[in-house]
């Protein structure tokens, strides 16, 4: 039975996830690059470590929840990285969204040290992380997943084994194609509704119960109507995911016209210094095109 879990990366997602592990009764050893953030989990009973290697040395399972492929490479394979401390038969679970190819490379390096890796990216946003309601798509060996199941159950509800290392990240990219297209439709629909002069709250209520219902509509629609652009999921990170999707699609020779369009629309926000806003800020781009603000 896994008792001690390491956690690296206490950002928007990592912080509530680490807290949920503590609530579920795991001993947590935590590391964050900006050290001040560790204090918040220390107050809830976690132990702080000075480096990713020091985390891995003390636990059976180490979770990484950082930004992008180079960051996972750095915290796992870099100086003072997890690989320097990982126990034989230890498990590294990367829950960040990164490239499937880099995932397979990192998994192979860990295998060379007698350790295992699971790629286990998540969907459900900050709210899903807080409410222990994440959907988790897992790539790696089924037996390793089985061993780590109680850890996953402390973080999410739908835990699906989707294949070998890299498959979890590939499924996450599938998820992000769906997210990008759906949110674009939500934003276009709200700008259209505003121009038509209909009641925005009533519109949202009416369409949220039918065939157009979606997580994006239910969670981000009300925030758009209020003009609340605080990030659950930052534009900057969605652009990273869209880049990963389009790179994979290029290798696979799959045309993704809708996803490419959303990537370009988000670039408008990047160019105007708004990449730290939440993804719902996509509506601002459509608002600029139409000259209408989709507020209630
Ligand atoms: P975030 O708030 O920006 O947090 C990123 C975390 O990673 C921070 O703790 C940061 O440390 C750490 N980090 C980044 N680069 C690092 C490096 N090179 N070395 C060490 N630490 C590093 O991002 P987030 O929203 O939690 O997202 C984390 C991952 O989850 C991303 O891959 C994202 O795509 C994915 N994700 C996010 C959501 C969401 O709704 N937010 C949903 C699903 C999946 P510092 O504190 O020092 O900056």
């Amino acid at each position: 039975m896994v008792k001690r879990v390491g956690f690296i990366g206490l950002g928007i997602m990592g912080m509530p996830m680490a807290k949920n592990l503590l609530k579920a009764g795991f001993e947590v050893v935590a590391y964050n690059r900006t050290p001040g953030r560790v204090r918040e989990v220390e107050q809830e009973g976690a132990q702080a470590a000075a480096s990713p290697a020091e985390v891995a040395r003390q636990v059976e399972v180490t979770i990484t929840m950082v930004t992008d492929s180079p960051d996972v490479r750095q915290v796992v394979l870099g100086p003072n990285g997890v690989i320097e401390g990982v126990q034989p038969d230890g498990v590294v679970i990367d829950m960040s969204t990164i490239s499937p190819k880099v995932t397979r490379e990192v998994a192979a390096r860990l295998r060379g040290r007698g350790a295992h890796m699971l790629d286990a990216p998540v969907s459900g946003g900050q709210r899903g992380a807080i409410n222990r309601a994440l959907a988790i798509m897992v790539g790696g060996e089924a037996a390793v997943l089985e061993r780590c199941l109680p850890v996953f159950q402390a973080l999410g509800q739908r835990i699906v084994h989707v294949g070998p290392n890299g498959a979890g990240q590939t499924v996450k990219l599938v998820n992000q194609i769906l997210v990008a297209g759906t949110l674009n439709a939500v934003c276009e629909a709200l700008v259209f509704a505003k121009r038509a002069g209909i009641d925005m709250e009533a519109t949202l209520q009416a369409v949220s119960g039918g065939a157009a219902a979606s997580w994006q509509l239910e969670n981000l629609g009300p925030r758009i109507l209020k003009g609340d652009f605080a990030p659950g999921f930052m534009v900057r990170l969605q652009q990273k995911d869209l880049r990963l999707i389009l790179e994979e699609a290029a290798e696979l020779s799959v045309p993704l016209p809708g996803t490419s369009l959303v990537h370009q629309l988000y670039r408008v926000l990047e160019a105007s210094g708004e990449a730290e806003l939440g993804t719902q800020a996509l509506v601002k781009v459509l608002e600029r095109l139409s000259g209408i603000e989709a507020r209630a």
Side-chain angles (χ1 to χ4, degrees), residues 13 122-130 133-135 137 172 175 215 219:
M13 297 294 283
V122 304
S123 179
Q126 183 185 26
R127 212 169 99 179
I130 293 168
L134 294 170
M137 28 222 112
K172 172 67 186 186
N175 186 83
W215 190 101
N219 288 277

Side-chain angles (χ1 to χ4, degrees), residues 166-189:
Q169 294 295 353
T170 305
V171 173
K172 172 67 186 186
L173 298 185
V174 171
N175 186 83
Q176 295 306 79
I177 293 172
L178 292 162
V179 163
T182 310
L183 181 55
N184 187 50
V186 168
C187 294
E188 286 193 4

